[in-house]
C-alpha cells in the first residue's frame, strides 16, 4: 500500500491540496526548494504586525517541531507500531486516492503533534513526493 507512492509525482500530490495551500506551497517550492518549503510552511507565524497569543512577541524556534514532524512522518511511512491503527484504516479504503493518503497521514500526525491536519497537509504532500522519489525502502533505512 505505501509502496504505491513511489509512482506519484510532486505535482500530483500538490493537486490534491486546497487552492490556497497549493498556490502558497508551489511558490515556496519555486523560491526555496522542497525541503526549505516544508521548513517555511511549518514555521509560518501569520502576519508580521500582530502579537502572538499570550502577548509574547519572541520568535519561536521551529526546528524542534520540524524534527518531530519528520520523525512522526517516518514512523507512519516505515510501519512503526504507533501508527498501526491509522495504517489499517488506510488499507481498509477500497480506492486509496492521493487525497486519502494526505488526509489520513495529516490527521494521524496532527493528532500526535497537536497540530491541525489541514495545516500539515502541504508538508505531508511534499514529504510523500520526496519518499516516492527515493523509494520507501531507502527512506526507511536512512
Amino acid at each position: 500500500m505505501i509502496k504505491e507512492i513511489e509512482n506519484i509525482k510532486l505535482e500530483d500530490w500538490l493537486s490534491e491540496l486546497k487552492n490556497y495551500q497549493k498556490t502558497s506551497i508551489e511558490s515556496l517550492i519555486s523560491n526555496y526548494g522542497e525541503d526549505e518549503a516544508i521548513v517555511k510552511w511549518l514555521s509560518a507565524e501569520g502576519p508580521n504586525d500582530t502579537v502572538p497569543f499570550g502577548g509574547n512577541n519572541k520568535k519561536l524556534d521551529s526546528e524542534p517541531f520540524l524534527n518531530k514532524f519528520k520523525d512522526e512522518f517516518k514512523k507512519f511511512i516505515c510501519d512503526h507500531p504507533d501508527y498501526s491503527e491509522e495504517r489499517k484504516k488506510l488499507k481498509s479504503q477500497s480506492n486509496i486516492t492521493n487525497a486519502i493518503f494526505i488526509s489520513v497521514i495529516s490527521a494521524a500526525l496532527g493528532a500526535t503533534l497537536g497540530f491541525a491536519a489541514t495545516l500539515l497537509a502541504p508538508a505531508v504532500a511534499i514529504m510523500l513526493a520526496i519518499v516516492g522519489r527515493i523509494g520507501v525502502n531507502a527512506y526507511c533505512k536512512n
Side-chain angles (χ1 to χ4, degrees), residues 50-60:
T50 61
V51 177
F53 183 73
N56 186 349
N57 213 11
K58 294 181 182 174
K59 283 272 193 200
L60 296 175

Side-chain angles (χ1 to χ4, degrees), residues 35-62:
D35 288 328
E36 190 63 22
I38 293 170
V39 172
K40 298 229 179 260
W41 182 268
L42 293 178
S43 65
E45 295 179 3
N48 290 332
D49 59 348
T50 61
V51 177
F53 183 73
N56 186 349
N57 213 11
K58 294 181 182 174
K59 283 272 193 200
L60 296 175
D61 182 7
S62 63

Side-chain angles (χ1 to χ4, degrees), residues 24 111 127 129:
S24 297
M127 290 297 296

